[in-house]
Amino acid sequence: MYQYVSFHLKVSVFMSSIFGVHFSILSLLFISYLTASNGGGCLHIEWKALLQFKNGLIDPKNLLFSWQGHDCCGWMGIACDNQTGAVLSINLYNEHAYQNGPDWAISGKIDSSLLQLKCLMSLDLSYNDFGGIAIPGFIGSLKHLVHLKLTFAGFSGSIPSQLGNLSSLQFLDLMGNDLHLVNDLEWISRLSSLSHLVITGANLSTWGTQWFKHLNSLSSLTKLVLSTCSLSGIPASLPFVNFTKLQVLDLSLNHLDSVIPAWFSNLTSLVHLDMSYAEFYGFIPLELFNLPTLRYVDLSRNYNLTADFSKLMGTGWPSLEHLDLSFNLLHGTLPDSIGNCTSLTELRLLKNMIEGGVPSSIGKLCNLKTLNLAENNMSLGLPPFLDKTGACASEYPLPSLTHLNIQKNHLTGDLPEWLGNLINLQLLDLSYNFIQGSVPPSLGNLSQLTDLILSGNNLNGTLAHNMGQLSKLVNFDVSLNHMTGILTEAHFSKLSDLKYLLLSHNSFTISINSSWLPPFQLEELYLSSCQIGPHVPSWLQNQTELDSLDLSNTGISGKITPWFWNLTKSLILLNISFNKIEGQLPNPLLIGGLADVDMRSNLLTGPLPRLSSMITTLVLSNNQFFGPIPLHFFNSETMVYVSLSNNNLSGQIPSSIGEIMSLEVLDLSRNKLNGSIPESLQNMKSLKALWLEYNSLSGPIPHSLGSLLQLQTLHLSNNKLSGEIPQSLQNCSSLETLDLRDNMLHGVIPTWFAWSFPKLRILGLKSNMFSGQIPPQLSNMSSLQVLDLAHNNFQGHIPLSFGNFKAMTSSPKMNQHLLFGNYYEGHFSMQLSSTSNLLEFTKILSLVVSIDLSRNKLSGHFPGTLTNLTGLLVLDLSDNSLSGEIPQNIGALHGLLSLDLSNNGFSGNIPSSMSSMSFISHLNLSNNNFSGCIPSAGQLSTFDESSYIGNEFLCGLPLDVECSRVNGSKVHGGGDASVENWSFHSVGLGFAVLFLIIA
C-alpha cells in the first residue's frame, strides 16, 4: 500500500508542474479517499470489494456471519496491515467442511472485485466447493500474492498460465482439484520465488517428459508434490540440478515408467521422498541412501524395483524414521547395519524376496513402532534377539517397541518366552509363518496389547488362563494352527474390549457354563472346527453387536434353540455348515442385510423357507429339503450365489428365478426337478455359472441361454434334454466349461464351436445321440484340455488336425478353478470312462488333459499327429472300428496315465516306445489284431493279461503264449501283476506322482 500511495504522490507532483495547484489538490483528495478507513482501520474501497466478493458466494451455514459492519479488518478470515488498514490476507480455509462434509462448504463464484485488494499477499479458499468452475485467470494480476492455497476447493478446468505473472509467489497449493494443463509449462519457470508447489489429482499428462526441465529452474523450491498427476517419464539425466534446496519430493501414483535417475542423489537437502506407485523399475541407486538428511522414504508398490537390501542399507542411516520398500523385488538379507538406524520408527518390507533372519541389531531401534516384513522369504528362523532365555530383554531395549509385524514369511522355531517383557507392545503379528510350539504364557503380561495375531502357523499346545487378563485386547486370532485343550471362562475373563475372536481350525474344546455373561461384545466370532456342541453356546444370545458368526464343523446336533434365530437377524455372515443340525428352518428366515449364509451339509429338512430380501450368498446344499422351490423363493435383488444342490427338491424351476438380476451362480444340481429349463433365465445377465445336472429336466436347451453373455460354466448333464445344440449358444464366448453329457441330444457338433468358444477348457458331450463326422475345426479351440465325445454315433475318421490342440501339448501348470463370489467350481466332477473302469476327477479336473472318443462308429487309422499332444493324461479310443498300426513314436505321450484302444481292429506290433510311459497306470489293448512280442520293459511289465487278451497273434508275458526264438534267444514277458483297480483315489505310481505335482 505504501508503494501504491507513493506512486500517486509522484504522479501528483508531476501533474501539478503542468496543470498547477488545482490538480495537486484534486490528486491529494483522491489519495485521501483511497486511504480513508471506515472508522475501524479498513479501507473503504477494499471494504466494498470484500462485500462484493461475499455477495458472489453461497454460504449455507452462514460461516461468514461476521462479515458485516464497516471494519472488514475484524471479519473472520481477514487480516489487515496494522498501520494502513490494507487487506493482506483472505483465509476461508473451511475446517467445518473438512470435518463434517460438503454441506458446510462455501460455493458460488470468485468475484474480480478482489483486484481492488492491492496489497493482498495470501489467499486461501481450501476445503470449499466452487462447483467445478475454473480458477479465475485474474488471480495472476494480484502481483503481491505470496501464498495461494486452493486445496480441495472444487475447481476444475485448466490451470491458468496467468499464474506465471505472480513473481512474488512462494506457496502454490492446488491439491485435490479436477485440473488439467492445456498450455506448456513455461509459465511455471517464471515463478522465481516459489518454494512450495503442491498439485495432486490433476491431469498433467501434456507436460510430457520435459516437466522436470522447467521445474529445475526453480532454485528456491523446497517442497514439490505432484502425486496422482498422470505424469509420464522423467529425465534420465540433467545438465545440472538447480533445486538443491528441495526437502520434500512426492511423485507417487504416476506412470513414470523409468529407472530412478542417478541425479536424485544430488538432492542433498532431501528429507521426505515418496515415489510409491510410480512404476519405477530397475535397481535402486545405492547413492540415494547416502543423502544425509533423509528421514522418510517410500518406494513401495513399484513392483519391479530391485536391490540387495544388505547393500542398500550400507552403514545405516541415523536420521531415517520411516522406510517402506514393500511390494518390490528386493533380495538379500537384513544386515546388522540396520541397527544403526536408531531413529527408525516404521520399517515395512512386505512382499519382497528378502531371506534369512532378523538380526539382533534391530534391538537397538528403541523408537521402532512398526516392523512389517510381511510376505518375504525369511527362512532361517526367528531373529536371534527373540531367544527364549529372557536375558536379552535388558541387553536390547525392545520394551519401547509398540508394533512387531513379521507376517507371511518363512519364520520357524518357537515363540520366545521373553516376548512378555515387551510391556509397551500394542500389536504382535507373526501370522502365516512356520512357527511351532506353544503360545508362551508370558504374553498374558502384555497389558497394552490390542492385537495378537498368530494365525496360519504350526502352533500346538493350549492357551494359558492368563490370556484372559489382556484387558485392552481387541483382536485375538490364533486360527489355522494345531492347538488343543479346553478353553473356559478364565481365558476370557477380563477381555472387555474384545471385538474379534478367531479360533477356527484348531482342536479347542469350548467348555463354558451356560449362565456365563461375557465381559465383551463381539463383532466377529470364528470357531470353525472347534468342539462346542451338541448345543449352540447360550452365552451367544447376549452378543448384540455380532455381525459375523462361523460355527461350522463344531459338533452341533439336533434342533437349533429358538433364540438363535433372533441373533441371526443382524448377521452379515452366518456359517453353521458341516454339523448335524436337524429340523426345519424358521419361515421366514431372517438374516441381516447383504448377508452370506452357509448351512450346507447338515440334516435340515422340510420345505425351503421364505428369505429376507437382502441375502447375497445362500448355500443350503447337502441337506434333506423337499418339495417344490417356492414361487417367490428368489425374491432378493442382492443374491449373487445360490446353491441348493443335493437335496430332494421336486417340481419345476419357477420362472420367477429370472427376477434375480444380480445372480452370478445358480446351483440346483442333484435334485428331482422336472419340466423344462425356464426361458426367464435369459434375464439374468450377470450369470456366470449354471449347474442343473442330475435332475429330470426335459425339452430342448432354450435358445434364450444365448443371452447369458457372461456365462463361464454350463452344466446340464444327466437330464432328459432333447433336440440340437441351439445356435444362440455361440454368443456365450466366455464359456470355459460346457457339460451336456448323458442326455438325449442329437444332431451334429456345430462347426461354430471352433471360433465361438476361445476360452473353452472342458467339452463334455458323452452319452447322447450326436452323429455325423467330428469337425476337424475343433482343433482351433486353443484352450480345450478335456474333450469327451464318447457313447455317441460319430462316424468317419479321427481328424488329423486333433494333433494341434494347443492346450494339450503340455501339462497344465496350475490347478485353476473358476471363482464365483466366495466359492470355487471345485465340486464339479467328470467321469472319464476307461472300458470297465471309471475315473472321476473332481478338484483336480483343471489339471486333466483328456480325449475320449470311445463307443462311436469311427474308422480309419490312429492319427500319428496325436503323439504331438504330450500333455495328455487320458486317451480312450475304445469300441470303434479303427484299424492299422499304432504310431511307433506313441511313447512321446510320456505323461499318459490311461490308454484304452480295446475293441478295435488295430494290428502290428506293440511299439517298444511304450516302455518309456513311466506313469501309465491303466492300459487296455484287448480285442484287437496285435501281433508279436509284448515289450517287457518299464511299466508295461506291470499289467496283467486282461490288458492284452483277445489278440490272437500276441505273445509273451503276462500271456501264457511263449514267443518263438529271435536271433537265437528266447524272449519272455517281463513279469506278473495283479489286476489294477484304477480309480481317482488309487491309481498306482502315475497318480502318486500326479498328487505330488498338485501338492
Side-chain angles (χ1 to χ4, degrees):
M1 187 62 189
Y2 294 125
Q3 295 174 348
Y4 185 76
V5 174
S6 175
F7 169 76
H8 279 276
L9 286 173
K10 292 177 181 178
V11 171
S12 174
V13 172
F14 174 73
M15 297 299 285
S16 296
S17 64
I18 300 176
F19 296 104
V21 66
H22 298 292
F23 184 86
S24 179
I25 295 173
L26 289 174
S27 180
L28 289 173
L29 288 173
F30 174 69
I31 294 171
S32 177
Y33 167 77
L34 287 175
T35 57
S37 69
N38 293 305
C42 180
L43 300 180
H44 180 77
I45 192 172
E46 297 190 343
W47 168 74
K48 289 181 64 177
L50 287 174
L51 285 180
Q52 188 172 340
F53 169 60
K54 178 190 175 185
N55 289 336
L57 301 177
I58 300 172
D59 182 11
K61 300 295 183 180
N62 196 25
L63 299 178
L64 302 180
F65 65 91
S66 66
W67 284 38
Q68 52 187 330
H70 293 283
D71 184 10
C72 62
C73 294
W75 295 352
M76 183 200 75
I78 302 299
C80 300
D81 185 284
N82 289 335
Q83 296 182 2
T84 66
V87 174
L88 302 178
S89 172
I90 300 176
N91 184 359
L92 298 185
Y93 174 94
N94 197 334
E95 184 177 358
H96 298 284
Y98 176 76
Q99 295 178 347
N100 303 319
D103 290 344
W104 288 78
I106 294 174
S107 59
K109 67 174 184 176
I110 312 298
D111 195 273
S112 60
S113 60
L114 293 182
L115 291 173
Q116 301 298 323
L117 309 179
K118 302 298 183 180
C119 296
L120 191 66
M121 301 175 65
S122 176
L123 177 61
D124 189 344
L125 303 177
S126 301
Y127 296 99
N128 288 292
D129 185 3
F130 288 97
I133 66 173
I135 297 174
F138 71 76
I139 290 180
S141 299
L142 299 172
K143 61 180 181 180
H144 296 293
L145 209 58
V146 174
H147 184 282
L148 178 58
K149 188 174 183 182
L150 305 178
T151 307
F152 289 99
F155 290 105
S156 66
S158 63
I159 302 173
S161 59
Q162 293 93 323
L163 297 183
N165 298 329
L166 301 175
S167 58
S168 299
L169 197 65
Q170 298 178 19
F171 190 107
L172 177 58
D173 188 342
L174 304 179
M175 178 188 295
N177 293 283
D178 185 16
L179 302 172
H180 61 269
L181 190 69
V182 293
N183 306 103
D184 62 35
L185 199 57
E186 183 275 332
W187 62 267
I188 206 167
S189 60
R190 302 200 304 269
L191 301 178
S192 57
S193 300
L194 198 64
S195 62
H196 283 59
L197 176 60
V198 180
I199 306 176
T200 67
N203 184 356
L204 306 182
S205 57
T206 57
W207 285 13
T209 59
Q210 298 301 311
W211 52 280
F212 236 105
K213 179 182 71 174
H214 298 288
L215 295 173
N216 193 28
S217 65
L218 304 178
S219 60
S220 299
L221 207 59
T222 60
K223 181 175 183 178
L224 176 61
V225 178
L226 297 175
S227 175
T228 325
C229 286
S230 302
L231 295 173
S232 59
I234 187 171
S237 61
L238 289 174
F240 62 94
V241 179
N242 197 28
F243 41 74
T244 54
K245 296 180 182 178
L246 199 64
Q247 298 177 14
V248 176
L249 177 60
D250 185 349
L251 302 177
S252 60
L253 292 157
N254 282 293
H255 312 290
L256 299 178
D257 191 25
S258 168
V259 298
I260 298 178
W263 54 263
F264 271 39
S265 59
N266 295 330
L267 304 177
T268 53
S269 300
L270 207 58
V271 174
H272 180 112
L273 176 63
D274 187 348
M275 298 196 297
S276 57
Y277 294 92
E279 298 181 16
F280 282 110
Y281 60 83
F283 283 91
I284 302 174
L286 300 182
E287 297 81 8
L288 186 65
F289 295 100
N290 293 328
L291 299 176
T293 58
L294 207 56
R295 294 203 298 266
Y296 182 104
V297 177
D298 188 348
L299 301 178
S300 63
R301 296 180 185 270
N302 282 285
Y303 302 105
N304 289 306
L305 279 175
T306 186
D308 184 330
F309 188 70
S310 58
K311 295 179 180 178
L312 198 64
M313 297 300 292
T315 56
W317 314 320
S319 301
L320 196 65
E321 298 175 0
H322 176 105
L323 177 61
D324 191 346
L325 301 175
S326 304
F327 293 90
N328 283 296
L329 300 175
L330 299 181
H331 55 89
T333 61
L334 294 173
D336 287 333
S337 58
I338 197 172
N340 298 328
C341 303
T342 52
S343 299
L344 198 62
T345 60
E346 296 191 25
L347 175 61
R348 302 180 185 274
L349 300 174
L350 291 78
K351 198 70 176 178
N352 279 284
M353 298 184 293
I354 296 173
E355 57 189 6
V358 180
S360 58
S361 63
I362 205 168
K364 299 177 183 179
L365 308 181
C366 311
N367 298 319
L368 194 64
K369 295 180 180 178
T370 299
L371 172 61
N372 194 329
L373 311 179
E375 297 195 51
N376 280 285
N377 190 27
M378 304 171 65
S379 56
L380 300 184
L382 285 169
F385 67 90
L386 296 183
D387 61 34
K388 301 191 72 172
T389 65
C392 59
S394 57
E395 181 180 353
Y396 303 110
L398 278 173
S400 298
L401 199 70
T402 62
H403 289 66
L404 180 60
N405 188 336
I406 317 181
Q407 60 166 313
K408 294 184 180 178
N409 283 272
H410 292 175
L411 299 177
T412 60
D414 296 345
L415 289 175
E417 189 74 34
W418 79 269
L419 277 173
N421 296 330
L422 304 179
I423 57 175
N424 292 314
L425 201 64
Q426 298 174 18
L427 180 146
L428 176 61
D429 189 347
L430 301 175
S431 59
Y432 296 96
N433 282 283
F434 299 96
I435 300 170
Q436 57 193 25
S438 60
V439 177
S442 63
L443 294 187
N445 301 327
L446 301 177
S447 59
Q448 303 301 311
L449 202 63
T450 61
D451 295 85
L452 177 58
I453 307 172
L454 304 174
S455 55
N457 281 286
N458 295 318
L459 295 171
N460 52 40
T462 190
L463 291 173
H465 287 113
N466 68 344
M467 300 301 291
Q469 306 301 307
L470 301 175
S471 59
K472 293 186 178 181
L473 197 63
V474 175
N475 185 0
F476 184 31
D477 185 357
V478 292
S479 60
L480 293 163
N481 280 288
H482 308 292
M483 303 187 72
T484 58
I486 299 175
L487 302 184
T488 66
E489 298 91 331
H491 290 88
F492 312 102
S493 59
K494 294 184 179 179
L495 306 185
S496 56
D497 289 343
L498 194 65
K499 294 294 182 186
Y500 310 98
L501 178 60
L502 295 86
L503 306 176
S504 291
H505 302 290
N506 286 287
S507 297
F508 291 123
T509 297
I510 314 295
S511 179
I512 292 178
N513 191 287
S514 60
S515 61
W516 181 61
L517 291 177
F520 48 72
Q521 282 292 330
L522 295 176
E523 294 181 14
E524 296 183 7
L525 175 62
Y526 291 82
L527 299 178
S528 178
S529 300
C530 297
Q531 180 61 41
I532 66 172
H535 305 298
V536 176
S538 58
W539 58 267
L540 281 180
Q541 61 187 309
N542 299 308
Q543 297 299 297
T544 59
E545 298 179 11
L546 202 62
D547 60 32
S548 298
L549 177 62
D550 186 349
L551 301 179
S552 60
N553 191 30
T554 54
I556 300 174
S557 61
K559 294 184 177 181
I560 294 287
T561 182
W563 62 257
F564 180 79
W565 302 112
N566 292 324
L567 183 69
T568 65
K569 293 178 181 178
S570 60
L571 295 181
I572 60 173
L573 183 144
L574 172 62
N575 190 346
I576 54 174
S577 62
F578 297 97
N579 285 293
K580 295 181 179 179
I581 300 172
E582 302 174 359
Q584 298 186 18
L585 294 177
N587 196 0
L589 178 62
L590 301 178
I591 307 291
L594 301 177
D596 292 332
V597 180
D598 191 346
M599 301 184 186
R600 81 181 96 172
S601 300
N602 278 287
L603 302 174
L604 296 168
T605 186
L608 293 174
R610 288 183 293 115
L611 303 174
S612 57
S613 59
M614 297 295 284
I615 288 179
T616 299
T617 300
L618 178 66
V619 184
L620 300 178
S621 54
N622 300 313
N623 278 286
Q624 299 173 8
F625 294 107
F626 58 80
I629 299 174
L631 185 62
H632 298 292
F633 183 76
F634 301 101
N635 65 347
S636 174
E637 297 178 356
T638 59
M639 277 185 169
V640 175
Y641 190 110
V642 174
S643 177
L644 305 177
S645 67
N646 204 16
N647 280 285
N648 294 312
L649 301 174
S650 58
Q652 298 187 6
I653 301 173
S655 60
S656 60
I657 194 171
E659 298 175 5
I660 318 177
M661 307 297 288
S662 58
L663 198 65
E664 296 183 10
V665 175
L666 176 63
D667 187 353
L668 302 178
S669 64
R670 299 177 187 271
N671 280 287
K672 300 176 181 178
L673 300 172
N674 56 41
S676 60
I677 299 173
E679 294 282 348
S680 62
L681 289 178
Q682 65 183 320
N683 300 324
M684 303 163 66
K685 303 301 184 184
S686 299
L687 199 66
K688 296 180 179 178
L690 178 61
W691 281 287
L692 299 177
E693 71 265 28
Y694 289 95
N695 281 288
S696 296
L697 300 172
S698 59
I701 299 173
H703 288 271
S704 57
L705 292 186
S707 301
L708 305 178
L709 303 184
Q710 296 191 44
L711 200 63
Q712 297 177 28
T713 183
L714 176 61
H715 300 271
L716 304 178
S717 66
N718 294 88
N719 280 287
K720 300 176 181 178
L721 299 173
S722 59
E724 299 184 357
I725 297 174
Q727 188 172 359
S728 64
L729 211 58
Q730 65 183 306
N731 298 326
C732 303
S733 58
S734 296
L735 270 179
E736 297 192 28
T737 302
L738 178 59
D739 183 12
L740 306 178
R741 298 168 300 136
D742 291 281
N743 280 286
M744 296 182 290
L745 300 170
H746 64 266
V748 299
I749 298 178
T751 55
W752 48 258
F753 270 38
W755 56 82
S756 297
F757 301 141
K759 300 179 181 178
L760 198 69
R761 293 188 291 152
I762 299 166
L763 175 59
L765 303 179
K766 186 182 94 173
S767 297
N768 280 282
M769 296 183 289
F770 291 111
S771 59
Q773 294 190 343
I774 300 174
Q777 295 91 337
L778 292 184
S779 62
N780 294 330
M781 302 170 72
S782 60
S783 299
L784 196 67
Q785 62 188 64
V786 173
L787 176 63
D788 188 356
L789 306 181
H791 295 237
N792 280 285
N793 297 311
F794 292 117
Q795 300 175 354
H797 294 181
I798 299 173
L800 293 175
S801 63
F802 272 23
N804 298 328
F805 282 117
K806 184 176 180 180
M808 299 186 187
T809 57
S810 60
S811 299
K813 297 293 188 287
M814 287 188 286
N815 189 12
Q816 294 179 329
H817 294 302
L818 295 177
L819 176 63
F820 308 108
N822 297 321
Y823 294 89
Y824 286 95
E825 188 197 17
H827 78 278
F828 171 51
S829 65
M830 190 170 186
Q831 291 183 334
L832 304 177
S833 64
S834 181
T835 312
S836 59
N837 298 305
L838 288 174
L839 177 61
E840 183 167 326
F841 291 91
T842 54
K843 292 183 179 179
I844 64 166
L845 182 59
S846 64
L847 285 169
V848 174
V849 179
S850 167
I851 293 179
D852 188 350
L853 305 179
S854 63
R855 298 195 183 186
N856 280 286
K857 299 176 181 179
L858 299 173
S859 59
H861 294 172
F862 186 123
T865 55
L866 290 185
T867 60
N868 298 332
L869 307 181
T870 55
L872 272 179
L873 301 182
V874 176
L875 177 61
D876 191 345
L877 305 180
S878 63
D879 292 282
N880 281 287
S881 299
L882 299 171
S883 60
E885 297 186 0
I886 302 176
Q888 290 300 310
N889 65 337
I890 192 173
L893 302 179
H894 50 78
L896 270 184
L897 302 175
S898 171
L899 175 63
D900 193 339
L901 304 180
S902 63
N903 297 300
N904 279 288
F906 289 117
S907 59
N909 295 329
I910 298 175
S912 60
S913 67
M914 290 181 64
S915 300
S916 64
M917 295 178 174
S918 56
F919 296 112
I920 195 163
S921 298
H922 174 81
L923 176 67
N924 193 346
L925 303 180
S926 64
N927 299 314
N928 280 284
N929 296 315
F930 290 115
S931 60
C933 201
I934 298 173
S936 59
Q939 256 334 63
L940 296 188
S941 64
T942 66
F943 298 106
D944 67 7
E945 64 177 352
S946 65
S947 296
Y948 306 101
I949 199 168
N951 291 279
E952 183 178 358
F953 301 105
L954 204 58
C955 63
L957 293 177
L959 299 177
D960 292 334
V961 181
E962 185 177 293
C963 293
S964 59
R965 291 182 177 275
V966 179
N967 295 328
S969 63
K970 187 176 290 186
V971 181
H972 293 278
D976 190 16
S978 60
V979 175
E980 188 90 33
N981 181 16
W982 199 61
S983 68
F984 171 69
H985 298 286
S986 178
V987 291
L989 176 63
F991 266 92
V993 174
L994 177 61
F995 287 147
L996 288 175
I997 294 172
I998 295 169

